[in-house]
Amino acid sequence: MHPTLSVIAFTTLAGTGYGLWFLTGLRLLTVTQVDLAGGRAGLLAMLLAGAVLTTAGLLASLAHLGQPQRAWRALSQWRSSWLSREGIAALACFPFALAAGWLVWTGTGSMAALHAGGAVLAALALITVYCTARIYTTLRTIRAWHNRYVLPGYLLLGLHGGTLCAWLLAATGLDMGLGTRALAALVVLTGTAVPLFKHAYWRFLDGGRHPASPESATGLGRHGRVRAFEAPHTEANFVTREMGFVLARRHAARLRHAVLVLGGGVPLLAALTGLAAPALALPAAGVATFSGLVGIFVERWLLFAEARHAVMLYYGAARA
Amino acid sequence: MVQTMTDLPARTSRRLGLVIDLDTCVGCQACAVACKQWNEAGAFGPLPDDDAYGREPLGVWFNRVHSYEIEPDPGAPEGTRHGMTVHFPRSCLHCEDAACVTVCPTGASYKRAEDGIVLVDADKCIGCKLCSWACPYGAREYGETRGVMQKCTLCVDRIYDEGLAPDERQPACVLACPSRARHFGDLGDPHSTVSRLVAERDGYDLMPELGYRPTNKYLPPRPRRAGGGCASATSDGETLRADDLPPLLRWMDRLLSR
């Protein structure tokens, strides 16, 4: 699949932003008046950083559309379309984040309202990333996406990115009541889980093929082995450009290493450094967040670029 | 009927579609050209080309005619072990379980309850291309110039047009085909001509394992006559089918072959 920059930017930025909002929502569940007195700036920074990341992601996704001025129409088909559900959940987070921010800012409202707002924000952020993943996992045409690894992968990478950003905010000295050490410990967990998980996904990806074949695509398997003899057109068309991207598979091994090292290894080592030497927490968190987000970006790029689409069986692909 | 959601209709009263005969298709591209020509001026707006006369022309076509080479199974019985090439027109199959419709976030894609035709409303489409990812048959193409997805309409603006003579109320590709390899009709009616063709000729679905239940069917190529047994070569490489000769000439061939 052609890795369109706008879609990759969307899933990287918005995934991280909703991951951060998820953590913020969880934090707000147990927040007290005393926490607010000391940690107002930290909580507002988390909410704001989440808003910046998710807004940037959503704006990037508009760049993918042929008719972006009609994007509002995408909110209408919640009954059948995961893309529509994603859009609704993504936007529904904003009023709750705004309300939570207002309650944190004034510090006068009831804590019960803030707890409820936090619960809804965490739930909606989780639902948004869940819907994003379901857009991909429902496509039976693409084996790299239609499998049981992709959904947990989206959730894990969203949590990883969100945790890295929260750790960076905490390391700058902002107190959001989560603790720099606790967040660094969470980065150790996600930084370990991401490479293990991606390794398992790639084993799955390399270990099988799509159920369709050139024989089933043409129905000519009863006569023998089918090979493309002449293409219908001499130039590329939309289908071959969009679904027939081969560059990544040629460089897959290197790019996969980049994901493992930048996405998982560097944040893991940085978090361990931050835990061992608290004085180094800020530079460690800075390096970890930058490296982690680059790693997530490469992972998202590969998730597209390595994916084979069944339609290419018509264009001479021996497998899908 | 106005569709408000990209849900699929529970059932369609008719299932209009095409039956494509791979035995008689000669790969002449007439269907593709006739389709392009009709739809360029059709009710759904133009099928624009980008850089049409430049170095890298790119444009939307609803029909694409491939050619495949079939390498016979080495284990096949003697006499059937011969390769062949097959011309293969590919277009929208108007699936019963059309994933391109259900993934659409805007309601621009819909399947008509009255005849099963899958259409795109170009005024609602936002050009997100997700429907093209959902289709294994490559039926949907993105029109760069218009910023929307475009696809075969089964010539819905021809087949119901009472201004046309009844014989002409058929998709442009069907009318243009010089070898009658394309047939149009109601595949939901077991007594229709197309349904009988499918039953007689063992018509099949493309990629049935994916479960999209295409409406269009393909008819397999008939077994090709092989060399061995029924034809013999003359000294300069020509072949003669003695069995096809009239009795007198067959007797003469036998006599002279002694």
Side-chain angles (χ1 to χ4, degrees):
Chain A
M1 298 295 293
H2 178 74
T4 312
L5 191 62
S6 51
V7 177
I8 315 285
F10 166 71
T11 56
T12 305
L13 293 170
T16 300
Y18 287 107
L20 187 56
W21 268 356
F22 174 70
L23 288 174
T24 316
L26 290 186
R27 169 66 193 108
L28 291 174
L29 276 177
T30 58
V31 79
T32 63
Q33 287 282 7
V34 181
D35 294 333
L36 278 191
R40 183 169 301 162
L43 288 170
L44 285 174
M46 276 179 96
L47 285 167
L48 188 68
V52 169
L53 287 165
T54 50
T55 307
L58 290 168
L59 289 176
S61 75
L62 290 183
H64 177 63
L65 304 181
Q67 298 283 355
Q69 77 284 3
R70 297 178 191 162
W72 60 273
R73 288 188 182 275
L75 305 175
S76 64
Q77 306 299 309
W78 47 269
R79 237 164 44 186
S80 61
S81 166
W82 284 104
L83 178 51
S84 196
R85 291 169 193 162
E86 179 205 36
I88 293 167
L91 293 185
C93 286
F94 281 83
F96 288 97
L98 203 66
W102 186 75
L103 286 172
V104 169
W105 175 262
T106 59
T108 51
S110 85
M111 284 302 106
L114 198 49
H115 296 165
V120 175
L121 181 62
L124 284 174
L126 184 65
I127 290 170
T128 304
V129 180
Y130 176 83
C131 291
T132 307
R134 295 288 281 148
I135 295 170
Y136 298 92
T137 60
T138 46
L139 297 175
R140 279 173 270 168
T141 45
I142 302 164
R143 180 174 172 271
W145 298 348
H146 181 65
N147 60 65
R148 60 200 168 92
Y149 292 93
V150 167
L151 173 58
Y154 267 85
L155 296 175
L156 176 62
L157 282 158
L159 182 66
H160 185 47
T163 310
L164 283 167
C165 289
W167 181 37
L168 180 61
L169 290 175
T172 61
L174 289 165
D175 175 22
M176 60 272 281
L178 287 167
T180 312
R181 291 183 66 81
L183 286 167
L186 193 51
V187 172
V188 171
L189 282 181
T190 56
T192 310
V194 166
L196 291 176
F197 187 82
K198 288 310 296 182
H199 182 70
Y201 167 76
W202 285 321
R203 267 185 61 149
F204 159 81
L205 192 63
D206 298 338
R209 50 174 62 195
H210 193 274
S213 62
E215 286 74 29
S216 75
T218 57
L220 296 169
R222 65 183 90 177
H223 304 279
R225 270 176 56 84
V226 176
R227 276 198 315 220
F229 174 60
E230 261 188 326
H233 37 92
T234 52
E235 301 300 317
N237 73 348
F238 166 75
V239 169
T240 59
R241 283 189 181 179
E242 185 79 358
M243 328 288 176
F245 191 82
V246 293
L247 176 74
R249 288 191 286 279
R250 196 166 295 162
H251 304 290
R254 267 186 199 171
L255 291 164
R256 286 177 180 187
H257 280 127
V259 172
L260 297 179
V261 172
L262 296 174
V266 172
L268 173 63
L269 287 177
L272 290 172
T273 309
L275 283 172
L280 293 174
L282 182 57
V287 169
T289 307
F290 179 75
S291 171
L293 291 184
V294 172
I296 293 172
F297 186 87
V298 178
E299 190 273 346
R300 289 294 145 89
W301 191 86
L302 265 183
L303 193 68
F304 271 80
E306 281 199 285
R308 296 170 196 265
H309 193 288
V311 74
M312 292 313 289
L313 294 170
Y314 290 107
Y315 282 96
R319 51 166 291 195
Chain B
M1 186 191 134
V2 178
Q3 289 277 335
T4 53
M5 281 275 168
T6 48
D7 281 346
L8 292 168
R11 58 176 296 280
T12 59
S13 39
R14 295 198 297 159
R15 292 171 52 214
L16 296 186
L18 299 175
V19 172
I20 295 172
D21 190 345
L22 299 181
D23 191 57
T24 50
C25 175
V26 293
C28 69
Q29 312 275 343
C31 52
V33 175
C35 165
K36 178 85 172 168
Q37 196 265 339
W38 173 262
N39 285 292
E40 177 63 24
F44 288 81
L47 306 182
D49 294 320
D50 300 312
D51 196 21
Y53 301 99
R55 288 179 64 83
E56 284 184 58
L58 184 79
V60 179
W61 292 63
F62 297 159
N63 255 314
R64 302 281 188 179
V65 185
H66 298 252
S67 288
Y68 296 101
E69 178 181 37
I70 298 170
E71 199 181 301
D73 183 4
E78 187 71 43
T80 63
R81 219 185 296 155
H82 46 90
M84 57 178 161
T85 54
V86 175
H87 303 294
F88 186 94
R90 176 175 61 79
S91 58
C92 175
L93 308 176
H94 298 279
C95 298
E96 295 265 302
D97 189 3
C100 59
V101 169
T102 53
V103 300
C104 176
T106 65
S109 279
Y110 58 103
K111 184 172 174 71
R112 300 187 353 147
E114 63 268 39
D115 53 19
I117 299 178
V118 176
L119 293 174
V120 179
D121 181 342
D123 294 331
K124 283 188 186 164
C125 177
I126 57 173
C128 74
K129 310 176 191 85
L130 184 55
C131 55
S132 69
W133 299 359
C135 174
Y137 308 111
R140 288 167 172 258
E141 297 192 9
Y142 176 70
E144 202 74 54
T145 316
R146 297 180 67 191
V148 296
M149 299 305 298
Q150 298 185 275
K151 68 175 291 301
C152 160
T153 67
L154 208 63
C155 283
V156 72
D157 49 353
R158 279 193 70 93
I159 58 176
Y160 293 113
D161 185 352
E162 295 184 357
L164 294 173
D167 284 353
E168 289 185 24
R169 291 176 208 161
Q170 297 199 58
C173 58
V174 173
L175 287 173
C177 180
S179 61
R180 295 249 182 138
R182 304 177 75 94
H183 306 267
F184 165 70
D186 181 7
L187 285 143
D189 170 10
H191 305 296
S192 67
T193 319
V194 282
S195 294
R196 285 207 308 271
L197 255 179
V198 171
E200 283 163 19
R201 294 277 309 281
D202 206 9
Y204 59 83
D205 288 346
L206 304 185
M207 288 196 254
E209 64 274 36
L210 296 189
Y212 296 114
R213 296 189 293 144
T215 300
N216 287 11
K217 303 282 183 259
Y218 283 74
L219 306 180
R222 294 184 173 94
R224 301 283 156 96
R225 279 174 290 212
C230 48
S232 58
T234 59
S235 55
D236 55 357
E238 295 170 305
T239 56
L240 174 71
R241 281 184 198 285
D243 292 347
D244 294 348
L245 295 172
L248 182 67
L249 292 179
R250 199 160 63 221
W251 173 79
M252 205 180 81
D253 173 54
R254 243 192 352 249
L255 190 72
L256 293 172
S257 299
R258 279 184 186 169

